[in-house]
Amino acid sequence: IYLVTDAFHERRALIAFGRFPLTLTAAPPLLDIPPVLNAGDFVPGLGGWVASYHAIHEWVGCAWYALRRRLAGRPDAP
């Protein structure tokens, strides 16, 4: 199965679908392009807050799946 999702939350999606007996292949539709940095990029702004929110959301989601596996008695299952 090709799991097509944004590269930003691909890890969490693989964990979520990993509990099913499927062979998964990650297939992000668009890879991130390395940014061209300038001096203004180092000044706090709204874009940084939004990116931080999404990153924290994904890490909390991964932690939730790990906790749920542990509570179910399957610490090694995906």
Side-chain angles (χ1 to χ4, degrees):
I1 302 286
Y2 288 102
L3 181 60
V4 180
T5 184
D6 187 86
F8 198 79
H9 57 259
E10 182 175 34
R11 174 181 286 180
R12 185 171 50 91
L14 285 169
I15 293 170
F17 283 94
R19 65 188 179 117
F20 298 106
L22 303 169
T23 302
L24 296 172
T25 301
L30 178 64
L31 299 176
D32 295 332
I33 298 169
V36 177
L37 299 176
N38 59 44
D41 292 332
F42 296 97
V43 176
L46 182 61
W49 286 105
V50 171
S52 295
Y53 165 79
H54 288 295
I56 291 169
H57 176 82
E58 294 304 317
W59 281 105
V60 168
C62 289
W64 167 249
Y65 286 125
L67 177 64
R68 192 169 72 175
R69 277 195 316 268
R70 184 174 292 283
L71 291 175
R74 300 174 309 186
D76 297 333

